[in-house]
């Protein structure tokens, strides 16, 4: 099963991705998690990444595209994957579509998590009390949301047009279990 998830920060796509990954025994590829993992190495590259991420900006495509390509070709992904946080802009989207075609990988479902700005802001601030992410404060949240609406939402719209039958919009303001239920139902017909 191959899935792509879209949705603003705080829309709960990470939560659903990890539930789906467990249930279907496929890897959850969160580019945010992958990048945060790289921050643990204390080298120049990590410092450069850390600056970009804590400012709420996007890491350059030249860094993230090959990371995703490597993962998708790895043995872990031979039974499928859940892409969470990628593609996030036009370049990444072109790269991914081309990559999927070249490698004959067919996406089963694209899920777009729809949530209003107030809900996601509230959720991110709640999360910030538990997790210690440098980008979970009001000012940076605003940058991340602006980036999402300016760069990522148009990509989701493009996927919606290109993969009409495989595109599923979920009301992400619902409870976690209801979202899970709706997604599972949709997957039965994927
Ligand atoms: P969220 O979507 O909740 O803001 P993520 O964990 O998905 O959080 O991403 C955190 C940060 O990691 C982003 O703000 C960005 O700096 C970086 N990042 C994640 N995915 C990408 C990507 N596909 N392209 C560029 N940067 C990315």
């Amino acid at each position: 099963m191959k899935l792509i998830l879209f949705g603003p920060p705080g829309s709960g796509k990470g939560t659903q991705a990890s539930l789906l990954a467990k249930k279907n025994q496929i890897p959850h590829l969160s580019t945010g998690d992958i990048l945060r993992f790289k921050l643990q190495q204390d080298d120049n590259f990590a410092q450069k990444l850390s600056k970009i991420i804590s400012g709420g900006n996007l890491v350059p495509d030249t860094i993230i595209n090959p990371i995703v390509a490597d993962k998708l070709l790895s043995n872990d992904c031979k039974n499928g994957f859940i892409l969470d946080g990628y593609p996030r802009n036009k370049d990444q989207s072109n790269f991914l579509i081309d990559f999927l075609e070249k490698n004959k990988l067919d996406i089963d479902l694209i899920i777009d998590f729809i949530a209003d700005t107030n809900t996601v802001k509230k959720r991110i601030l709640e999360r910030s009390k538990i997790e210690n992410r440098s980008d979970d404060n009001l000012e940076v949240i605003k940058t991340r949301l602006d980036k999402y609406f300016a760069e990522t939402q148009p990509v989701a719209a493009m996927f919606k047009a290109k993969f009409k039958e495989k595109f599923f919009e979920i009301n992400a303001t619902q409870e976690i279990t209801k979202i899970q239920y709706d997604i599972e139902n949709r997957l039965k017909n994927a």
Side-chain angles (χ1 to χ4, degrees), residues 133-152:
R133 271 176 57 166
S134 62
D135 58 351
D136 277 352
N137 60 71
L138 262 185
E139 198 187 322
V140 179
I141 292 169
K142 189 178 176 311
T143 308
R144 284 158 58 200
L145 284 172
D146 286 350
K147 288 246 171 289
Y148 185 82
F149 292 113
E151 300 197 38
T152 315

Side-chain angles (χ1 to χ4, degrees), residues 7-11 13 30-33 35-36 49 52-61 64-65 68 84-89 92 124 127 133 135-136 140 144-145 147-148:
S11 60
K13 59 187 191 312
S30 154
T31 46
D33 286 348
L35 290 168
R36 275 187 293 278
L49 278 186
I52 301 172
I53 293 173
S54 55
N57 294 303
L58 294 188
V59 167
D61 302 327
I64 196 73
N65 286 340
V68 172
D84 162 14
Y86 184 96
R88 244 180 167 90
N89 63 20
Q92 295 179 13
I124 298 173
R127 179 173 76 185
R133 271 176 57 166
D135 58 351
D136 277 352
V140 179
R144 284 158 58 200
L145 284 172
K147 288 246 171 289
Y148 185 82

